[in-house]
Short mmCIF file of all heavy atoms in Angstrom, two decimals:
data_model
loop_
_atom_site.label_atom_id
_atom_site.label_comp_id
_atom_site.label_asym_id
_atom_site.label_seq_id
_atom_site.Cartn_x
_atom_site.Cartn_y
_atom_site.Cartn_z
N MET A 42 -7.12 -0.62 -8.57
CA MET A 42 -6.96 -1.96 -9.17
C MET A 42 -5.84 -1.84 -10.19
O MET A 42 -5.91 -0.94 -11.06
CB MET A 42 -8.24 -2.38 -9.93
CG MET A 42 -8.12 -3.66 -10.62
SD MET A 42 -8.26 -5.14 -9.59
CE MET A 42 -9.99 -5.10 -9.14
N THR A 43 -4.82 -2.62 -10.14
CA THR A 43 -3.74 -2.66 -11.04
C THR A 43 -3.97 -3.90 -11.85
O THR A 43 -3.95 -4.97 -11.39
CB THR A 43 -2.34 -2.74 -10.32
OG1 THR A 43 -2.23 -1.71 -9.42
CG2 THR A 43 -1.22 -2.70 -11.30
N LEU A 44 -4.07 -3.65 -13.16
CA LEU A 44 -4.36 -4.82 -14.12
C LEU A 44 -3.10 -5.51 -14.44
O LEU A 44 -2.04 -4.91 -14.51
CB LEU A 44 -5.02 -4.28 -15.39
CG LEU A 44 -6.30 -3.54 -15.22
CD1 LEU A 44 -6.80 -3.04 -16.54
CD2 LEU A 44 -7.34 -4.42 -14.52
N GLY A 45 -3.19 -6.81 -14.56
CA GLY A 45 -2.11 -7.70 -14.95
C GLY A 45 -2.48 -8.70 -15.95
O GLY A 45 -3.66 -8.81 -16.28
N VAL A 46 -1.55 -9.47 -16.44
CA VAL A 46 -1.94 -10.60 -17.38
C VAL A 46 -2.48 -11.71 -16.53
O VAL A 46 -1.72 -12.36 -15.79
CB VAL A 46 -0.59 -10.98 -18.16
CG1 VAL A 46 -0.99 -12.14 -19.09
CG2 VAL A 46 -0.03 -9.82 -18.95
N ALA A 47 -3.78 -12.02 -16.79
CA ALA A 47 -4.47 -13.12 -16.09
C ALA A 47 -4.47 -12.96 -14.63
O ALA A 47 -4.78 -13.91 -13.89
CB ALA A 47 -3.90 -14.47 -16.45
N ASN A 48 -4.19 -11.75 -14.05
CA ASN A 48 -4.21 -11.56 -12.62
C ASN A 48 -4.27 -10.00 -12.38
O ASN A 48 -3.76 -9.29 -13.15
CB ASN A 48 -2.96 -12.12 -11.92
CG ASN A 48 -3.13 -12.35 -10.49
OD1 ASN A 48 -4.08 -11.86 -9.91
ND2 ASN A 48 -2.21 -13.10 -9.91
N HIS A 49 -4.86 -9.65 -11.30
CA HIS A 49 -4.98 -8.24 -11.03
C HIS A 49 -4.54 -8.08 -9.53
O HIS A 49 -4.49 -8.98 -8.76
CB HIS A 49 -6.43 -7.76 -11.16
CG HIS A 49 -7.01 -7.90 -12.48
ND1 HIS A 49 -6.41 -7.61 -13.63
CD2 HIS A 49 -8.14 -8.51 -12.87
CE1 HIS A 49 -7.09 -7.93 -14.65
NE2 HIS A 49 -8.22 -8.47 -14.21
N ARG A 50 -4.19 -6.82 -9.19
CA ARG A 50 -3.78 -6.51 -7.87
C ARG A 50 -4.67 -5.35 -7.35
O ARG A 50 -4.87 -4.34 -8.01
CB ARG A 50 -2.27 -6.05 -7.86
CG ARG A 50 -1.80 -5.63 -6.55
CD ARG A 50 -0.30 -5.24 -6.77
NE ARG A 50 0.17 -4.74 -5.52
CZ ARG A 50 0.91 -3.67 -5.35
NH1 ARG A 50 1.34 -2.95 -6.41
NH2 ARG A 50 1.38 -3.28 -4.18
N LEU A 51 -5.25 -5.50 -6.21
CA LEU A 51 -6.17 -4.62 -5.52
C LEU A 51 -5.40 -3.92 -4.38
O LEU A 51 -4.83 -4.57 -3.53
CB LEU A 51 -7.34 -5.38 -4.99
CG LEU A 51 -8.42 -4.55 -4.27
CD1 LEU A 51 -9.12 -3.58 -5.26
CD2 LEU A 51 -9.39 -5.40 -3.54
N VAL A 52 -5.39 -2.63 -4.47
CA VAL A 52 -4.71 -1.76 -3.48
C VAL A 52 -5.75 -0.84 -2.81
O VAL A 52 -6.41 -0.10 -3.56
CB VAL A 52 -3.59 -0.93 -4.06
CG1 VAL A 52 -2.98 -0.10 -2.96
CG2 VAL A 52 -2.53 -1.82 -4.63
N LEU A 53 -5.98 -0.98 -1.55
CA LEU A 53 -6.96 -0.14 -0.78
C LEU A 53 -6.16 0.84 0.03
O LEU A 53 -5.62 0.53 1.02
CB LEU A 53 -7.86 -1.00 0.02
CG LEU A 53 -8.71 -2.04 -0.65
CD1 LEU A 53 -9.39 -2.95 0.40
CD2 LEU A 53 -9.69 -1.37 -1.59
N PRO A 54 -6.07 2.09 -0.36
CA PRO A 54 -5.44 3.04 0.51
C PRO A 54 -6.36 3.38 1.70
O PRO A 54 -7.58 3.65 1.51
CB PRO A 54 -5.24 4.32 -0.40
CG PRO A 54 -6.19 4.10 -1.53
CD PRO A 54 -6.57 2.67 -1.62
N VAL A 55 -5.76 3.38 2.84
CA VAL A 55 -6.49 3.67 4.08
C VAL A 55 -5.78 4.67 4.90
O VAL A 55 -4.58 4.84 4.84
CB VAL A 55 -6.75 2.41 4.94
CG1 VAL A 55 -7.65 1.40 4.19
CG2 VAL A 55 -5.51 1.72 5.33
N ARG A 56 -6.47 5.41 5.76
CA ARG A 56 -5.87 6.40 6.68
C ARG A 56 -6.13 5.85 8.10
O ARG A 56 -7.32 5.57 8.36
CB ARG A 56 -6.52 7.74 6.47
CG ARG A 56 -6.18 8.19 5.00
CD ARG A 56 -6.72 9.55 4.63
NE ARG A 56 -6.27 10.65 5.54
CZ ARG A 56 -5.22 11.37 5.42
NH1 ARG A 56 -4.39 11.09 4.41
NH2 ARG A 56 -4.93 12.34 6.21
N VAL A 57 -5.04 5.71 8.87
CA VAL A 57 -5.17 5.08 10.21
C VAL A 57 -4.60 6.04 11.26
O VAL A 57 -3.74 6.86 10.98
CB VAL A 57 -4.51 3.75 10.27
CG1 VAL A 57 -5.13 2.74 9.34
CG2 VAL A 57 -2.98 3.86 9.95
N THR A 58 -5.12 5.97 12.47
CA THR A 58 -4.56 6.74 13.57
C THR A 58 -4.98 6.07 14.94
O THR A 58 -5.96 5.27 14.92
CB THR A 58 -5.13 8.24 13.59
OG1 THR A 58 -4.48 8.98 14.61
CG2 THR A 58 -6.58 8.25 13.80
N ASP A 59 -4.18 6.30 15.87
CA ASP A 59 -4.56 5.89 17.25
C ASP A 59 -4.52 7.13 18.14
O ASP A 59 -3.45 7.62 18.45
CB ASP A 59 -3.43 4.92 17.78
CG ASP A 59 -3.72 3.48 17.42
OD1 ASP A 59 -4.77 3.18 16.96
OD2 ASP A 59 -2.79 2.61 17.63
N PRO A 60 -5.67 7.62 18.40
CA PRO A 60 -5.77 8.89 19.16
C PRO A 60 -5.13 8.85 20.54
O PRO A 60 -4.81 9.91 21.13
CB PRO A 60 -7.25 9.21 19.22
CG PRO A 60 -7.95 7.91 18.93
CD PRO A 60 -7.06 7.12 18.11
N TRP A 61 -4.97 7.68 21.13
CA TRP A 61 -4.41 7.59 22.48
C TRP A 61 -2.90 7.66 22.47
O TRP A 61 -2.24 7.72 23.46
CB TRP A 61 -4.90 6.27 23.20
CG TRP A 61 -4.55 5.01 22.46
CD1 TRP A 61 -3.34 4.38 22.60
CD2 TRP A 61 -5.33 4.34 21.56
NE1 TRP A 61 -3.43 3.25 21.69
CE2 TRP A 61 -4.60 3.22 21.10
CE3 TRP A 61 -6.63 4.56 21.05
CZ2 TRP A 61 -5.08 2.32 20.19
CZ3 TRP A 61 -7.15 3.65 20.10
CH2 TRP A 61 -6.33 2.53 19.70
N LEU A 62 -2.29 7.59 21.28
CA LEU A 62 -0.83 7.75 21.14
C LEU A 62 -0.42 9.19 21.09
O LEU A 62 -1.22 10.03 20.57
CB LEU A 62 -0.28 6.99 19.92
CG LEU A 62 -0.50 5.49 19.89
CD1 LEU A 62 -0.09 4.87 18.58
CD2 LEU A 62 0.37 4.86 20.99
N ASP A 63 0.77 9.50 21.52
CA ASP A 63 1.25 10.93 21.53
C ASP A 63 1.69 11.30 20.18
O ASP A 63 2.70 10.79 19.64
CB ASP A 63 2.43 11.05 22.54
CG ASP A 63 2.91 12.41 22.65
OD1 ASP A 63 2.46 13.33 21.97
OD2 ASP A 63 3.87 12.66 23.43
N ALA A 64 0.98 12.25 19.48
CA ALA A 64 1.24 12.73 18.20
C ALA A 64 2.62 13.43 18.06
O ALA A 64 3.14 13.58 17.01
CB ALA A 64 0.06 13.63 17.66
N GLU A 65 3.12 13.98 19.21
CA GLU A 65 4.30 14.72 19.22
C GLU A 65 5.57 13.84 19.37
O GLU A 65 6.70 14.31 19.12
CB GLU A 65 4.34 15.77 20.34
CG GLU A 65 3.17 16.74 20.24
CD GLU A 65 3.18 17.64 19.04
OE1 GLU A 65 4.29 18.03 18.60
OE2 GLU A 65 2.15 17.85 18.45
N ASP A 66 5.35 12.66 19.77
CA ASP A 66 6.54 11.67 20.02
C ASP A 66 6.67 10.67 18.91
O ASP A 66 5.79 9.82 18.78
CB ASP A 66 6.30 10.98 21.42
CG ASP A 66 7.44 9.97 21.76
OD1 ASP A 66 8.44 9.94 20.97
OD2 ASP A 66 7.25 9.29 22.73
N PRO A 67 7.68 10.79 18.08
CA PRO A 67 7.81 9.84 16.97
C PRO A 67 8.04 8.43 17.42
O PRO A 67 7.86 7.45 16.69
CB PRO A 67 9.10 10.35 16.23
CG PRO A 67 9.74 11.40 17.05
CD PRO A 67 8.72 11.76 18.12
N GLN A 68 8.39 8.13 18.69
CA GLN A 68 8.60 6.79 19.20
C GLN A 68 7.34 6.11 19.64
O GLN A 68 7.26 4.95 19.96
CB GLN A 68 9.61 6.83 20.36
CG GLN A 68 10.99 7.35 19.99
CD GLN A 68 11.68 6.45 19.02
OE1 GLN A 68 11.51 5.25 19.01
NE2 GLN A 68 12.47 7.05 18.12
N SER A 69 6.25 6.99 19.77
CA SER A 69 4.95 6.50 20.27
C SER A 69 4.12 5.93 19.02
O SER A 69 3.47 6.54 18.34
CB SER A 69 4.17 7.66 20.81
OG SER A 69 2.92 7.25 21.33
N ILE A 70 4.28 4.55 18.89
CA ILE A 70 3.66 3.90 17.85
C ILE A 70 2.99 2.57 18.39
O ILE A 70 3.34 2.11 19.47
CB ILE A 70 4.59 3.45 16.64
CG1 ILE A 70 5.71 2.50 17.17
CG2 ILE A 70 5.22 4.79 16.02
CD1 ILE A 70 6.47 1.96 16.00
N ALA A 71 2.10 2.04 17.63
CA ALA A 71 1.55 0.70 17.88
C ALA A 71 1.42 -0.01 16.56
O ALA A 71 1.08 0.69 15.52
CB ALA A 71 0.14 0.79 18.54
N GLN A 72 1.78 -1.24 16.54
CA GLN A 72 1.65 -1.99 15.26
C GLN A 72 0.64 -3.14 15.41
O GLN A 72 0.43 -3.72 16.48
CB GLN A 72 2.93 -2.60 14.88
CG GLN A 72 3.97 -1.51 14.48
CD GLN A 72 5.33 -2.02 14.01
OE1 GLN A 72 5.81 -2.96 14.66
NE2 GLN A 72 5.78 -1.50 12.90
N ALA A 73 -0.06 -3.43 14.28
CA ALA A 73 -0.96 -4.57 14.19
C ALA A 73 -0.74 -5.21 12.86
O ALA A 73 -0.52 -4.64 11.90
CB ALA A 73 -2.42 -4.05 14.35
N LEU A 74 -1.00 -6.55 12.87
CA LEU A 74 -1.01 -7.36 11.65
C LEU A 74 -2.43 -7.39 11.17
O LEU A 74 -3.35 -8.03 11.86
CB LEU A 74 -0.42 -8.79 11.92
CG LEU A 74 -0.39 -9.71 10.72
CD1 LEU A 74 0.62 -9.12 9.64
CD2 LEU A 74 0.02 -11.06 11.14
N LEU A 75 -2.68 -6.86 10.03
CA LEU A 75 -4.05 -6.87 9.49
C LEU A 75 -4.15 -7.80 8.24
O LEU A 75 -3.19 -7.90 7.45
CB LEU A 75 -4.46 -5.41 9.03
CG LEU A 75 -4.54 -4.42 10.11
CD1 LEU A 75 -4.96 -3.08 9.51
CD2 LEU A 75 -5.49 -4.79 11.21
N THR A 76 -5.24 -8.45 8.13
CA THR A 76 -5.55 -9.32 6.95
C THR A 76 -7.05 -9.34 6.89
O THR A 76 -7.83 -8.90 7.83
CB THR A 76 -4.96 -10.66 7.06
OG1 THR A 76 -5.09 -11.34 5.83
CG2 THR A 76 -5.54 -11.53 8.15
N GLY A 77 -7.57 -9.78 5.78
CA GLY A 77 -9.06 -9.87 5.65
C GLY A 77 -9.46 -10.20 4.33
O GLY A 77 -8.62 -10.62 3.42
N THR A 78 -10.77 -9.93 3.98
CA THR A 78 -11.31 -10.18 2.63
C THR A 78 -12.06 -8.92 2.24
O THR A 78 -12.53 -8.18 3.07
CB THR A 78 -12.21 -11.37 2.61
OG1 THR A 78 -13.25 -11.31 3.63
CG2 THR A 78 -11.46 -12.66 2.92
N VAL A 79 -12.20 -8.81 0.94
CA VAL A 79 -12.94 -7.69 0.42
C VAL A 79 -14.26 -8.22 -0.27
O VAL A 79 -14.14 -9.11 -1.08
CB VAL A 79 -12.17 -6.93 -0.68
CG1 VAL A 79 -13.00 -5.76 -1.27
CG2 VAL A 79 -10.83 -6.42 -0.07
N TRP A 80 -15.38 -7.71 0.20
CA TRP A 80 -16.71 -8.10 -0.28
C TRP A 80 -17.32 -6.90 -0.90
O TRP A 80 -17.17 -5.79 -0.44
CB TRP A 80 -17.58 -8.67 0.85
CG TRP A 80 -17.10 -9.91 1.46
CD1 TRP A 80 -16.06 -10.01 2.37
CD2 TRP A 80 -17.43 -11.30 1.17
NE1 TRP A 80 -15.85 -11.33 2.69
CE2 TRP A 80 -16.63 -12.07 1.95
CE3 TRP A 80 -18.35 -11.84 0.24
CZ2 TRP A 80 -16.79 -13.48 1.90
CZ3 TRP A 80 -18.49 -13.22 0.30
CH2 TRP A 80 -17.73 -14.00 1.07
N ILE A 81 -18.16 -7.07 -1.91
CA ILE A 81 -18.91 -6.05 -2.49
C ILE A 81 -20.39 -6.37 -2.48
O ILE A 81 -20.76 -7.49 -2.25
CB ILE A 81 -18.46 -5.72 -4.02
CG1 ILE A 81 -18.57 -6.99 -4.90
CG2 ILE A 81 -17.06 -5.21 -3.98
CD1 ILE A 81 -18.26 -6.68 -6.31
N GLU A 82 -21.19 -5.36 -2.71
CA GLU A 82 -22.66 -5.62 -2.56
C GLU A 82 -23.30 -5.93 -3.92
O GLU A 82 -24.50 -5.71 -4.10
CB GLU A 82 -23.36 -4.33 -2.00
CG GLU A 82 -22.96 -4.11 -0.55
CD GLU A 82 -23.66 -2.96 0.05
OE1 GLU A 82 -24.61 -2.43 -0.59
OE2 GLU A 82 -23.32 -2.59 1.13
N GLN A 83 -22.51 -6.42 -4.87
CA GLN A 83 -23.09 -6.81 -6.18
C GLN A 83 -23.42 -8.31 -6.10
O GLN A 83 -22.65 -9.18 -5.80
CB GLN A 83 -22.01 -6.61 -7.26
CG GLN A 83 -22.46 -6.78 -8.63
CD GLN A 83 -21.34 -6.47 -9.64
OE1 GLN A 83 -20.17 -6.54 -9.27
NE2 GLN A 83 -21.73 -6.21 -10.83
N PRO A 84 -24.77 -8.66 -6.37
CA PRO A 84 -25.21 -10.01 -6.16
C PRO A 84 -24.48 -11.02 -7.00
O PRO A 84 -24.30 -12.17 -6.54
CB PRO A 84 -26.70 -9.92 -6.58
CG PRO A 84 -27.05 -8.55 -6.49
CD PRO A 84 -25.83 -7.75 -6.75
N SER A 85 -24.04 -10.71 -8.19
CA SER A 85 -23.41 -11.82 -9.04
C SER A 85 -21.97 -12.07 -8.62
O SER A 85 -21.40 -13.10 -9.01
CB SER A 85 -23.46 -11.34 -10.49
OG SER A 85 -22.74 -10.09 -10.71
N LEU A 86 -21.34 -11.17 -7.94
CA LEU A 86 -19.91 -11.30 -7.51
C LEU A 86 -19.67 -10.65 -6.21
O LEU A 86 -19.34 -9.51 -6.06
CB LEU A 86 -19.03 -10.63 -8.59
CG LEU A 86 -17.48 -10.69 -8.30
CD1 LEU A 86 -16.96 -12.12 -8.36
CD2 LEU A 86 -16.76 -9.90 -9.34
N ARG A 87 -19.93 -11.45 -5.12
CA ARG A 87 -19.87 -10.86 -3.75
C ARG A 87 -18.47 -10.83 -3.21
O ARG A 87 -17.97 -9.86 -2.65
CB ARG A 87 -20.79 -11.62 -2.87
CG ARG A 87 -22.26 -11.41 -3.45
CD ARG A 87 -23.30 -11.76 -2.41
NE ARG A 87 -23.47 -11.02 -1.25
CZ ARG A 87 -24.00 -9.75 -1.12
NH1 ARG A 87 -24.40 -9.15 -2.23
NH2 ARG A 87 -24.14 -9.25 -0.04
N TRP A 88 -17.67 -11.94 -3.33
CA TRP A 88 -16.27 -12.01 -2.80
C TRP A 88 -15.41 -11.43 -3.88
O TRP A 88 -15.42 -11.83 -5.04
CB TRP A 88 -15.87 -13.45 -2.46
CG TRP A 88 -14.51 -13.54 -1.96
CD1 TRP A 88 -14.16 -13.34 -0.62
CD2 TRP A 88 -13.31 -13.80 -2.63
NE1 TRP A 88 -12.83 -13.47 -0.53
CE2 TRP A 88 -12.22 -13.74 -1.73
CE3 TRP A 88 -13.03 -13.99 -3.96
CZ2 TRP A 88 -10.90 -13.97 -2.12
CZ3 TRP A 88 -11.68 -14.23 -4.35
CH2 TRP A 88 -10.64 -14.21 -3.43
N LEU A 89 -14.56 -10.47 -3.54
CA LEU A 89 -13.74 -9.78 -4.47
C LEU A 89 -12.27 -10.27 -4.37
O LEU A 89 -11.65 -10.61 -5.32
CB LEU A 89 -13.78 -8.31 -4.39
CG LEU A 89 -13.16 -7.45 -5.42
CD1 LEU A 89 -13.69 -7.78 -6.77
CD2 LEU A 89 -13.31 -5.99 -5.12
N ALA A 90 -11.68 -10.26 -3.16
CA ALA A 90 -10.29 -10.60 -3.08
C ALA A 90 -9.95 -10.83 -1.57
O ALA A 90 -10.66 -10.31 -0.68
CB ALA A 90 -9.38 -9.46 -3.62
N GLY A 91 -8.89 -11.54 -1.31
CA GLY A 91 -8.29 -11.60 0.02
C GLY A 91 -7.19 -10.62 0.16
O GLY A 91 -6.43 -10.26 -0.80
N LEU A 92 -6.98 -10.01 1.37
CA LEU A 92 -5.97 -9.09 1.61
C LEU A 92 -4.71 -9.82 2.14
O LEU A 92 -4.86 -10.74 3.00
CB LEU A 92 -6.46 -8.02 2.59
CG LEU A 92 -7.55 -7.14 2.17
CD1 LEU A 92 -8.01 -6.18 3.24
CD2 LEU A 92 -7.05 -6.35 0.90
N GLU A 93 -3.64 -9.52 1.67
CA GLU A 93 -2.34 -10.14 2.13
C GLU A 93 -2.11 -9.60 3.52
O GLU A 93 -2.37 -8.41 3.80
CB GLU A 93 -1.17 -9.77 1.22
CG GLU A 93 -1.35 -10.39 -0.18
CD GLU A 93 -0.14 -10.08 -1.07
OE1 GLU A 93 0.72 -9.28 -0.66
OE2 GLU A 93 -0.18 -10.56 -2.15
N PRO A 94 -1.53 -10.42 4.47
CA PRO A 94 -1.16 -9.95 5.79
C PRO A 94 -0.23 -8.74 5.64
O PRO A 94 0.74 -8.73 4.79
CB PRO A 94 -0.44 -11.11 6.44
CG PRO A 94 -1.05 -12.33 5.69
CD PRO A 94 -1.19 -11.79 4.32
N HIS A 95 -0.54 -7.68 6.40
CA HIS A 95 0.28 -6.47 6.33
C HIS A 95 0.41 -5.88 7.75
O HIS A 95 -0.57 -5.73 8.46
CB HIS A 95 -0.47 -5.45 5.39
CG HIS A 95 0.22 -4.17 5.25
ND1 HIS A 95 1.32 -3.96 4.48
CD2 HIS A 95 -0.04 -2.92 5.78
CE1 HIS A 95 1.73 -2.73 4.49
NE2 HIS A 95 0.89 -2.08 5.25
N VAL A 96 1.62 -5.55 8.09
CA VAL A 96 1.85 -4.82 9.41
C VAL A 96 1.55 -3.32 9.18
O VAL A 96 2.10 -2.70 8.39
CB VAL A 96 3.32 -5.06 9.92
CG1 VAL A 96 3.46 -4.26 11.19
CG2 VAL A 96 3.57 -6.50 10.18
N VAL A 97 0.59 -2.87 9.97
CA VAL A 97 0.17 -1.45 9.92
C VAL A 97 0.78 -0.72 11.12
O VAL A 97 0.60 -1.23 12.24
CB VAL A 97 -1.37 -1.29 9.90
CG1 VAL A 97 -1.75 0.17 9.93
CG2 VAL A 97 -1.86 -1.96 8.62
N THR A 98 1.41 0.36 10.96
CA THR A 98 1.93 1.08 12.06
C THR A 98 1.05 2.29 12.33
O THR A 98 0.80 3.12 11.53
CB THR A 98 3.36 1.65 11.75
OG1 THR A 98 4.16 0.56 11.46
CG2 THR A 98 3.96 2.44 12.84
N PHE A 99 0.52 2.29 13.56
CA PHE A 99 -0.38 3.37 13.99
C PHE A 99 0.44 4.39 14.72
O PHE A 99 1.34 4.12 15.45
CB PHE A 99 -1.51 2.81 14.95
CG PHE A 99 -2.44 1.89 14.25
CD1 PHE A 99 -2.16 0.56 14.23
CD2 PHE A 99 -3.64 2.35 13.66
CE1 PHE A 99 -3.06 -0.34 13.66
CE2 PHE A 99 -4.45 1.45 13.01
CZ PHE A 99 -4.19 0.08 13.02
N ARG A 100 0.02 5.66 14.61
CA ARG A 100 0.60 6.77 15.30
C ARG A 100 -0.45 7.65 15.87
O ARG A 100 -1.63 7.42 15.69
CB ARG A 100 1.47 7.58 14.28
CG ARG A 100 2.69 6.77 13.79
CD ARG A 100 3.41 7.59 12.69
NE ARG A 100 4.71 7.15 12.27
CZ ARG A 100 5.05 5.97 11.85
NH1 ARG A 100 4.16 5.04 11.67
NH2 ARG A 100 6.32 5.66 11.58
N GLY A 101 -0.08 8.70 16.64
CA GLY A 101 -1.04 9.60 17.21
C GLY A 101 -1.58 10.63 16.21
O GLY A 101 -2.35 11.46 16.57
N TYR A 102 -1.15 10.50 15.00
CA TYR A 102 -1.78 11.35 13.93
C TYR A 102 -2.12 10.45 12.74
O TYR A 102 -1.71 9.31 12.66
CB TYR A 102 -0.73 12.43 13.51
CG TYR A 102 0.65 11.85 13.11
CD1 TYR A 102 0.90 11.36 11.78
CD2 TYR A 102 1.65 11.66 13.99
CE1 TYR A 102 2.10 10.83 11.48
CE2 TYR A 102 2.91 11.13 13.71
CZ TYR A 102 3.12 10.71 12.34
OH TYR A 102 4.31 10.18 12.01
N VAL A 103 -2.94 11.09 11.80
CA VAL A 103 -3.44 10.25 10.69
C VAL A 103 -2.26 10.04 9.66
O VAL A 103 -1.57 10.95 9.36
CB VAL A 103 -4.60 11.00 10.01
CG1 VAL A 103 -5.05 10.21 8.77
CG2 VAL A 103 -5.77 11.27 10.94
N ALA A 104 -2.11 8.78 9.27
CA ALA A 104 -1.12 8.38 8.32
C ALA A 104 -1.70 7.42 7.34
O ALA A 104 -2.65 6.72 7.61
CB ALA A 104 0.07 7.69 9.04
N GLY A 105 -1.14 7.40 6.13
CA GLY A 105 -1.64 6.56 5.09
C GLY A 105 -0.98 5.24 5.02
O GLY A 105 0.20 5.09 5.32
N GLU A 106 -1.70 4.22 4.70
CA GLU A 106 -1.26 2.84 4.52
C GLU A 106 -1.96 2.28 3.30
O GLU A 106 -3.03 2.72 2.94
CB GLU A 106 -1.56 1.95 5.74
CG GLU A 106 -0.81 2.31 7.01
CD GLU A 106 0.58 1.74 7.02
OE1 GLU A 106 0.88 0.84 6.23
OE2 GLU A 106 1.41 2.15 7.87
N ASP A 107 -1.35 1.25 2.71
CA ASP A 107 -2.00 0.55 1.58
C ASP A 107 -2.24 -0.90 2.04
O ASP A 107 -1.28 -1.63 2.47
CB ASP A 107 -1.13 0.54 0.29
CG ASP A 107 -1.05 1.89 -0.39
OD1 ASP A 107 -1.95 2.69 -0.17
OD2 ASP A 107 -0.12 2.15 -1.08
N LEU A 108 -3.48 -1.39 1.86
CA LEU A 108 -3.76 -2.73 2.05
C LEU A 108 -3.86 -3.39 0.74
O LEU A 108 -4.50 -2.81 -0.23
CB LEU A 108 -5.07 -2.92 2.77
CG LEU A 108 -5.20 -2.28 4.17
CD1 LEU A 108 -6.61 -2.44 4.81
CD2 LEU A 108 -4.12 -2.79 5.10
N VAL A 109 -3.19 -4.54 0.49
CA VAL A 109 -2.98 -5.07 -0.87
C VAL A 109 -3.63 -6.39 -0.98
O VAL A 109 -3.57 -7.27 -0.16
CB VAL A 109 -1.43 -5.22 -1.16
CG1 VAL A 109 -1.26 -5.77 -2.52
CG2 VAL A 109 -0.74 -3.84 -0.99
N GLY A 110 -4.32 -6.56 -2.14
CA GLY A 110 -4.98 -7.85 -2.50
C GLY A 110 -4.01 -8.74 -3.29
O GLY A 110 -2.76 -8.45 -3.20
N PRO A 111 -4.47 -9.67 -4.01
CA PRO A 111 -3.60 -10.61 -4.74
C PRO A 111 -2.58 -9.90 -5.58
O PRO A 111 -2.91 -8.95 -6.33
CB PRO A 111 -4.53 -11.40 -5.53
CG PRO A 111 -5.88 -11.25 -4.90
CD PRO A 111 -5.84 -9.90 -4.27
N ARG A 112 -1.36 -10.30 -5.49
CA ARG A 112 -0.28 -9.76 -6.30
C ARG A 112 -0.08 -10.74 -7.55
O ARG A 112 -0.21 -11.98 -7.36
CB ARG A 112 1.03 -9.69 -5.55
CG ARG A 112 1.00 -8.72 -4.46
CD ARG A 112 2.35 -8.75 -3.74
NE ARG A 112 2.29 -8.02 -2.57
CZ ARG A 112 2.81 -6.75 -2.40
NH1 ARG A 112 3.40 -6.23 -3.39
NH2 ARG A 112 2.72 -6.12 -1.26
N PRO A 113 0.22 -10.17 -8.72
CA PRO A 113 0.54 -11.04 -9.83
C PRO A 113 1.67 -12.01 -9.44
O PRO A 113 2.65 -11.54 -8.82
CB PRO A 113 0.94 -10.08 -10.91
CG PRO A 113 0.37 -8.80 -10.50
CD PRO A 113 0.29 -8.84 -9.02
N GLY A 114 1.63 -13.19 -9.81
CA GLY A 114 2.63 -14.16 -9.45
C GLY A 114 3.33 -14.85 -10.56
O GLY A 114 3.08 -14.87 -11.67
#
């Protein structure tokens, strides 16, 4: 969570892979447009944030990506 003035930014680091892609070939990739919402199991505040649409590049090996919530505007 990055704090801002009257607004916060939520960054969820994730690790993604596509095991059917060739890990040795740098050209072997697949891309997907991901978006969604973040919910928590706290009864008083269940919906936390919406995730901005983000193109995620999958490879045959594990790589890191950041999914981002609301940006300060």
Side-chain angles (χ1 to χ4, degrees):
M42 178 80 70
T43 304
L44 301 178
V46 178
N48 201 348
H49 304 311
R50 179 175 174 226
L51 178 68
V52 178
L53 300 172
V55 295
R56 297 178 59 86
V57 297
T58 185
D59 275 346
W61 59 86
L62 295 172
D63 183 359
E65 302 297 322
D66 180 5
Q68 301 295 326
S69 182
I70 64 170
Q72 292 184 315
L74 179 63
L75 297 182
T76 189
T78 56
V79 178
W80 295 81
I81 58 175
E82 293 184 10
Q83 189 176 22
S85 63
L86 178 65
R87 299 195 64 77
W88 181 85
L89 189 59
L92 296 176
E93 295 180 358
H95 180 76
V96 175
V97 175
T98 301
F99 295 91
R100 293 172 165 62
Y102 53 87
V103 177
E106 291 279 345
D107 288 338
L108 302 179
V109 179
R112 293 178 190 256

